[in-house]
Amino acid sequence: IPGIKKKNNLKLYVRRVFIMDNCEELIPEYLGFVRGIVDTEDLPLNISRETLQQNRVLKVIRRNLVRKCLELFEKIAENKEDFEKFYEQFSKNLK
């Protein structure tokens, strides 16, 4: 549906305990097509959503996720065939 922002597909876990679905603070909007699970031991189990928004550890996790995604994109780009498949599926997200 046009105009409706799709939620990202990242789930946040702390020490294998589910904390939050669609954690928008974990990844920038332009990488919204990335799916996965983030499991960390650096956050307390009883963290609230408000606390998450101002948490330094979450900013570090976000920075590392972006760095890892860009490294993986570079690795995909090394193989022309893989890159063409990747670009065909996600070009609208990357523009």
Side-chain angles (χ1 to χ4, degrees):
I1 301 173
I4 295 178
K5 192 171 100 172
K6 185 181 174 200
K7 298 203 179 222
N8 65 27
N9 298 305
L10 285 178
K11 296 173 182 12
L12 177 63
Y13 286 77
V14 175
R15 296 181 204 111
R16 296 192 176 114
V17 175
F18 178 74
I19 301 296
M20 183 186 293
D21 203 4
N22 296 322
C23 190
E24 295 161 358
E25 292 82 20
L26 283 176
I27 203 147
E29 194 173 321
Y30 68 92
L31 291 175
F33 61 93
V34 175
R35 295 181 181 186
I37 294 173
V38 176
D39 190 8
T40 180
E41 296 192 7
D42 299 327
L43 292 170
L45 280 172
N46 61 348
I47 193 163
S48 68
R49 291 175 192 262
E50 294 81 27
T51 309
L52 270 176
Q53 292 174 348
Q54 290 119 22
N55 195 294
R56 287 185 187 161
V57 173
L58 212 60
K59 288 182 175 77
V60 172
I61 292 171
R62 177 185 171 116
R63 191 170 48 242
N64 288 335
L65 284 174
V66 170
R67 186 179 306 133
K68 190 67 171 173
C69 287
L70 296 177
E71 286 173 6
L72 288 172
F73 298 161
E74 286 177 13
K75 190 173 181 180
I76 291 171
E78 290 172 3
N79 183 331
K80 187 177 180 186
E81 199 174 291
D82 289 344
F83 183 73
E84 286 174 359
K85 287 179 191 175
F86 174 78
Y87 191 78
E88 184 180 308
Q89 286 199 328
F90 300 111
S91 62
K92 64 183 176 205
N93 298 94
L94 297 173
K95 287 186 180 180

